[in-house]
Amino acid sequence: VQLQASGGGLVQAGGSLRLSCVASGSISRINDMRWYRQPEGRKRELVASIFSDGTTYYSPSVKGRFTISRDNAKNTAYLQMNSLKPEDTAVYYCCQEITTTSMTYPQFEDYWGQGTLVTVSS
């Protein structure tokens, strides 16, 4: 199983970006999908989650500005980021809880994407 994240880039404060994270491989089921971020020199932090039933969670720092969504048919998670601030600058990582074809649900393993850099200029 592999995860491919994309969509990062340089944007001015107040702008928007949309991140995507596509999973591929021997996938039986995808449970939760999450986005994390890691600013330079700081710890990785959870930004948003979307559970298999569609329930979402947002970090207080992004609630109301970011929207997480998923397309189960495409094994893809999205993170729509609006009203971006310089403090949103970080490498963004996606993570998906995946039950592979060699596992039996509810067994799963976390798979991570390679990270995509988001830079917000003031």
Side-chain angles (χ1 to χ4, degrees):
V1 174
Q2 291 186 330
L3 265 61
Q4 180 69 45
S6 62
L10 174 63
V11 63
Q12 289 188 332
S16 299
L17 283 174
R18 188 192 195 207
L19 306 183
S20 300
C21 176
V22 183
S24 61
S26 301
I27 297 169
S28 176
R29 174 190 171 105
I30 301 178
N31 306 302
D32 301 347
M33 297 180 175
R34 302 188 293 272
W35 286 96
Y36 293 79
R37 67 185 181 187
Q38 187 168 16
E40 188 173 357
R42 295 173 60 182
K43 293 182 179 180
R44 191 173 298 186
E45 61 180 2
L46 177 64
V47 174
S49 301
I50 184 165
F51 303 98
S52 55
D53 64 358
T55 304
T56 57
Y57 163 83
Y58 296 95
S59 166
S61 63
V62 307
K63 194 169 185 177
R65 300 188 297 121
F66 290 10
T67 302
I68 189 171
S69 61
R70 62 191 289 165
D71 184 333
N72 292 326
K74 296 181 179 180
N75 293 337
T76 301
Y78 302 98
L79 186 67
Q80 178 67 43
M81 305 185 294
N82 298 330
S83 302
L84 282 161
K85 305 175 181 180
E87 51 264 43
D88 294 318
T89 295
V91 177
Y92 283 71
Y93 297 91
C94 60
C95 178
Q96 297 186 14
E97 291 183 356
I98 296 175
T99 299
T100 67
T101 54
S102 62
M103 297 176 181
T104 301
Y105 181 78
Q107 287 180 305
F108 67 87
E109 187 170 333
D110 282 349
Y111 289 86
W112 291 83
Q114 81 284 10
T116 184
L117 177 62
V118 172
T119 303
V120 184
S121 62
S122 57

